[in-house]
Amino acid sequence: MYTIDALTQARQQIDQWIRDGQSVLGRVIPSLFQAIEGLSRRAEAAEDDARRVARELNELQAEATRLREEIEHLKRLRAEMAESVERAVDEIGRVTADLVGRVRESGGKPFG
């Protein structure tokens, strides 16, 4: 009888372990699925953010390229303007020197 009692007790213990295991799994598995769903949502949101940031980066790079081109254009214009001003100043200097020379030649008298 001792053996039957031991077997019965062992069976009861095994049945209890099975019930405990099912109870634990019943609580753990749903929370794992919830965690997986939450992580999936976070991953999708991160991917959406990454795509948005990539678009913004592309837009900013295009804007930077456009601004660099504009800067180069403005530098060329500035150089052209400086050249024009230099030619005008040279011409003014030449005309002024010519006038001073004429005034000296005329002895300070009006000429015309």
Side-chain angles (χ1 to χ4, degrees):
M1 256 294 248
Y2 176 73
T3 323
I4 291 179
D5 283 343
L7 288 174
T8 301
Q9 201 173 30
R11 174 141 170 89
Q12 288 174 347
Q13 184 64 45
I14 291 171
D15 287 343
Q16 184 60 44
W17 288 342
I18 290 172
R19 283 190 299 274
D20 291 346
Q22 288 173 337
S23 174
V24 168
L25 289 176
R27 288 189 307 268
V28 170
I29 289 176
S31 62
L32 287 176
F33 282 128
Q34 288 174 347
I36 289 170
E37 287 175 16
L39 292 172
S40 292
R41 283 191 301 273
R42 289 178 60 193
E44 288 175 17
E47 288 171 353
D48 289 344
D49 286 345
R51 282 189 289 274
R52 180 187 51 78
V53 168
R55 277 192 311 273
E56 289 175 4
L57 176 62
N58 288 335
E59 291 169 3
L60 290 172
Q61 286 174 331
E63 178 71 6
T65 298
R66 188 191 66 74
L67 290 172
R68 277 193 286 278
E69 290 169 355
E70 185 176 343
I71 287 169
E72 288 305 313
H73 174 71
L74 292 172
K75 284 180 179 179
R76 285 191 300 275
L77 285 177
R78 181 180 64 191
E80 290 172 10
M81 289 174 66
E83 205 174 291
S84 293
V85 168
E86 186 178 343
R87 281 195 306 268
V89 168
D90 288 347
E91 182 64 19
I92 289 170
R94 188 190 63 73
V95 169
T96 302
D98 186 45
L99 286 173
V100 168
R102 285 184 182 186
V103 168
R104 284 188 183 148
E105 288 175 4
S106 69
K109 297 178 190 168
F111 54 90

